[in-house]
Amino acid sequence: MKIVKGVKFVYQPTPRTLELISKFRDMVNDAIRICLTENIKGRLKLRNRIYKELQVRYGVLSCFPYCVAEVAWSIVKKHKRWHRKPYAKRLMFKMDAANFSLNYSVLTLPFKKGESIHIPLKYGEYQRSFLMDKTLKRGSVTMTESSIVIAFSKEPPVAEPSKKVGYDLNEKSVVGSDGTRHDLSEVARLHTLYGVRRSRFYERHAYDRRLRKKFAASRKEKERVNQALHRASTLIVEKARANREVIVLERLKGIRHAHKRGNGEGKAKRRRIALWPFRQLQSYIDYKARWAGVPVEYVSPSYTSKKCNVCGCINRKLRVTDRSWLCPCGAKLDRDLNAAINIERRGKTPCLGEVRPGARGTYEAVKGNETTMAPILRAEASKSDLRLP
Ligand SMILES: [Zn+2]
């Protein structure tokens, strides 16, 4: 199965590129109109119908009608759910891999006979790693007024997984059943900080629509939270790839219902939990893992923190605020690690060197690992940086 990843680049728009995108949008709208008035059923029929006409009308190369038909047809197909007539509003341009060329960071798009448009892409380390990777295939290119997204694809490497690692996502950290810990207290802190700032702001400027709009659009908080989530998810997936792990996560349904009013938590904490981007972190882990060929499995979240991983008894009295507890069986349990171990055990993906010794032994061994894990991860991160030319 092929996996595709869209990589976003920034570029400097010129009158030529703007002409190209607005022409493309006009062609798409022409195609949609033709499709509807002549009741054309099928992408290929639409393509054949507009092939000559658009070439003549807009003076473009023959590859354009093909790409226009793709975009127009997908809009026509979607429009049944719309309340308005199908119409391509946004300025955009899309072309498949066969028609453009990418030479390092210069994108060359065909335009008219004997005329191409060369666009130098701006890139950072992340984008560069895609441009330089010769094993990746290029898919379509999508261009708007401000950005260009190029799809890269590859066959994921297939490696037999050797073990499972469960991850407990909680308010302040991500804890792995192998003892790894990623601190995310910054995310909680940012939410509190900006939450206070936001409520004060709205108190002061409750009736100023212009200012409110401006404030709502400030993306600083989101960006900083995203950075923290990207950092943690990258490290988790990198480690999983290097050690051939299966990542086991909780199915996050109704996680926020667990933190309802009247459960003993303060208002501020419930607010943070409600805003904590669990889903976002999961989706980051999920797509990065797919790209790296790391399997991800989702398991039932019931009682993962209340069940003792040694004897299996359930501590119904465990409160959300308890960070650790003592089980009647004698096990001293760290709340998050215990949950991560339970999550890992629910995973069903078969693994090669699966070791299932006495649960207590595993717990002890895992505990010892906690401190040694972090430097290894850091070493890996710097190694992958070096690989870039
Ligand atoms: Zn127990």
Side-chain angles (χ1 to χ4, degrees):
M1 200 188 68
K2 212 171 64 171
I3 10 169
V4 183
K5 194 169 193 165
V7 180
K8 193 171 176 177
F9 295 85
V10 182
Y11 78 106
Q12 187 64 53
T14 63
R16 308 293 293 142
T17 57
L18 284 175
E19 189 193 341
L20 177 73
I21 0 185
S22 67
K23 218 169 207 181
F24 193 87
R25 183 194 51 186
D26 294 345
M27 283 191 271
V28 168
N29 284 324
D30 273 5
I32 292 173
R33 217 189 44 245
I34 292 171
C35 187
L36 292 179
T37 50
E38 299 178 17
N39 200 18
I40 294 170
K41 300 253 188 285
R43 182 174 50 89
L44 292 176
K45 281 181 186 151
L46 177 64
R47 193 173 81 184
N48 294 339
R49 167 65 184 79
I50 62 174
Y51 184 67
K52 265 267 124 53
E53 192 172 320
L54 289 191
Q55 263 185 84
V56 174
R57 192 183 302 166
Y58 290 91
V60 289
L61 289 170
S62 61
C63 59
F64 276 80
Y66 281 84
C67 305
V68 167
E70 294 282 335
V71 176
W73 181 248
S74 71
I75 292 174
V76 168
K77 254 199 326 195
K78 262 190 289 182
H79 101 281
K80 278 163 197 144
R81 271 175 276 145
W82 297 1
H83 292 294
R84 57 179 169 90
K85 270 192 165 177
Y87 175 72
K89 217 176 188 175
R90 236 160 39 104
L91 280 176
M92 66 85 81
F93 166 89
K94 191 174 178 189
M95 183 153 267
D96 44 77
N99 298 309
F100 71 85
S101 74
L102 184 59
N103 201 347
Y104 293 101
S105 66
V106 179
L107 178 69
T108 304
L109 299 170
F111 192 27
K112 293 167 187 169
K113 269 217 175 74
E115 189 191 340
S116 309
I117 298 181
H118 304 283
I119 305 166
L121 302 174
K122 293 178 187 166
Y123 57 87
E125 273 305 301
Y126 173 74
Q127 287 93 338
R128 195 168 114 114
S129 67
F130 286 87
L131 291 175
M132 294 304 191
D133 193 336
K134 294 275 180 284
T135 63
L136 300 178
K137 282 196 181 125
R138 280 94 190 248
S140 63
V141 57
T142 310
M143 182 159 103
T144 67
E145 289 148 287
S146 57
S147 68
I148 290 178
V149 174
I150 299 175
F152 292 89
S153 70
K154 69 173 179 186
E155 298 285 333
V158 187
E160 201 79 42
S162 67
K163 63 168 176 168
K164 289 189 266 288
V165 179
Y167 285 96
D168 174 64
L169 317 184
N170 61 75
E171 198 205 348
K172 292 208 167 121
S173 61
V174 180
V175 176
S177 56
D178 60 351
T180 46
R181 238 168 234 275
H182 298 280
D183 183 46
L184 287 176
S185 51
E186 201 198 348
V187 175
R189 196 184 57 79
L190 280 172
H191 274 304
T192 322
L193 178 73
Y194 284 92
V196 169
R197 225 177 259 174
R198 192 183 302 123
S199 61
R200 272 196 203 137
F201 176 88
Y202 283 126
E203 265 166 37
R204 246 181 294 142
H205 304 284
Y207 302 102
D208 190 332
R209 278 185 67 191
R210 190 186 56 87
L211 266 181
R212 283 178 60 163
K213 221 172 167 180
K214 203 173 155 192
F215 190 80
S218 83
R219 300 181 46 87
K220 225 175 181 176
E221 173 187 10
K222 220 173 187 177
E223 268 162 32
R224 285 174 71 180
V225 165
N226 277 349
Q227 268 176 15
L229 300 182
H230 272 303
R231 228 177 292 132
S233 55
T234 301
L235 288 174
I236 289 167
V237 172
E238 269 300 303
K239 177 174 75 70
R241 193 179 53 86
N243 305 336
R244 291 188 293 139
E245 296 164 359
V246 176
I247 294 175
V248 188
L249 298 170
E250 279 180 314
R251 232 175 281 121
L252 285 182
K253 233 180 198 171
I255 188 145
R256 283 153 198 183
H257 296 298
H259 300 273
K260 272 186 278 208
R261 261 172 107 171
N263 67 351
E265 295 166 322
K267 188 176 162 191
K269 176 155 191 193
R270 283 202 318 276
R271 195 191 148 270
R272 275 205 312 274
I273 296 260
L275 286 172
W276 207 96
F278 289 99
R279 259 168 230 286
Q280 188 137 17
L281 181 60
Q282 273 213 350
S283 75
Y284 284 173
I285 294 175
D286 196 278
Y287 89 68
K288 285 176 186 174
R290 256 169 237 285
W291 184 252
V294 171
V296 180
E297 187 179 353
Y298 292 93
V299 298
S300 156
S302 53
Y303 297 117
T304 45
S305 35
K306 287 183 179 168
K307 192 173 168 183
C308 167
N309 77 73
V310 181
C311 69
C313 77
I314 288 172
N315 177 0
R316 288 180 196 275
K317 285 189 187 138
L318 186 72
R319 284 166 307 176
V320 190
T321 43
D322 297 335
R323 299 318 303 166
S324 62
W325 51 289
L326 197 66
C327 180
C329 77
K332 198 169 165 281
L333 301 161
D334 170 272
R335 183 200 180 84
D336 308 325
L337 185 59
N338 179 50
I341 292 171
N342 284 326
I343 292 166
E344 179 203 313
R345 295 223 179 115
R346 288 179 194 184
K348 292 200 171 67
T349 312
C351 295
L352 275 178
E354 199 134 49
V355 201
R356 280 271 173 93
R360 185 186 287 253
T362 333
Y363 177 66
E364 239 81 77
V366 157
K367 254 204 129 177
N369 273 342
E370 261 173 59
T371 44
T372 55
M373 222 43 225
I376 296 172
L377 283 174
R378 232 172 279 137
E380 264 170 20
S382 58
K383 224 190 290 163
S384 62
D385 284 342
L386 286 177
R387 235 185 290 127
L388 299 166

